[in-house]
Amino acid sequence: HIATNEGGGVYIYSMSPIFRNCVFKENYASSGGGAIIIKNNASPVFENCNFILNESGNNGGAIKIIDNSTGTFNNCRFNNNYGNTHGGAITVDLNSKTIFNQSYFNDNAALNGEGGAIHHQNGGLLNIEKSIFENNNAKYGGAVRVLGGDINFSSNASVFTNNTAHENGAGALSIIPGNGKTVITNNVFTGNQT
């Protein structure tokens, strides 16, 4: 499916739907959220969903989350998604929150920007538990790039393996927290490069 602006597959506005056992594949949006846009205090939950080969001409190859919204992802897989600027799989902005539990990010890319898997900025919260980031690529922050907001990677171990930043800013995790709180414990970083 092709959208001319945001949310190539699904547009979520001020709602709290639950998606279970869904596949989002080969969707495209020119502005953001190749498969899904989440905005205006929306709070969807995704369980056992797969995001494959989605693309954005700007940011959030698979998903864009903005405007005080919250996305919760349990046991989801993000494979081969591409954001032209930021967030190969997901971009999070404008005081929004994301919670990932037992999720897998593989071969996502933001080759012209930041956060091969996830790009998070301008407040909010990024919480990641028991997740795997493998072979993601970007200019800055091969797996994850954070520019402000609270970061919590502490409850249960996540693994960052063979992610690459092509210019600067860490192959696995690049953080510029601003006024946010950062907690990172019991995680594994191996084979990442810049």
Side-chain angles (χ1 to χ4, degrees):
H1 185 265
I2 297 175
T4 57
N5 195 2
E6 296 178 321
V10 179
Y11 194 101
I12 302 172
Y13 187 91
S14 299
M15 296 176 61
S16 301
I18 298 173
F19 295 83
R20 291 191 179 102
N21 305 313
C22 296
V23 176
F24 300 88
K25 184 175 181 181
E26 296 178 348
N27 299 285
Y28 175 83
S30 62
S31 177
I36 300 172
I37 180 72
I38 300 167
K39 62 193 304 184
N40 198 46
N41 297 296
S43 298
V45 175
F46 299 86
E47 298 178 351
N48 303 307
C49 293
N50 292 319
F51 299 85
I52 306 164
L53 293 169
N54 299 288
E55 182 177 347
S56 169
N58 191 4
N59 53 33
I63 301 171
K64 183 175 182 179
I65 303 171
I66 59 173
D67 301 334
N68 298 296
S69 295
T70 300
T72 301
F73 302 87
N74 297 316
N75 196 32
C76 292
R77 299 177 69 88
F78 298 83
N79 297 320
N80 292 288
N81 299 287
Y82 179 76
N84 189 45
T85 56
H86 303 319
I90 299 174
T91 190
V92 185
D93 201 355
L94 302 175
N95 203 40
S96 294
K97 301 175 184 178
T98 46
I99 300 165
F100 298 96
N101 184 44
Q102 294 183 321
S103 292
Y104 180 62
F105 296 82
N106 182 58
D107 283 324
N108 301 287
L111 297 181
N112 296 312
E114 306 173 354
I118 300 172
H119 182 262
H120 181 104
Q121 67 180 13
N122 296 323
L125 168 69
L126 175 59
N127 189 92
I128 299 176
E129 299 181 11
K130 291 185 180 177
S131 295
I132 297 172
F133 294 81
E134 188 171 24
N135 299 319
N136 300 287
N137 295 273
K139 273 188 176 181
Y140 310 98
V144 179
R145 172 81 157 172
V146 179
L147 302 170
D150 293 335
I151 305 161
N152 185 4
F153 295 1
S154 65
S155 296
N156 292 287
S158 291
V159 178
F160 295 81
T161 302
N162 298 328
N163 301 285
T164 303
H166 296 285
E167 290 193 10
N168 291 310
L173 178 59
S174 176
I175 302 171
I176 302 174
N179 295 324
K181 179 181 178 182
T182 301
V183 179
I184 301 171
T185 57
N186 300 320
N187 291 268
V188 178
F189 298 85
T190 179
N192 303 286
Q193 60 183 327
T194 185

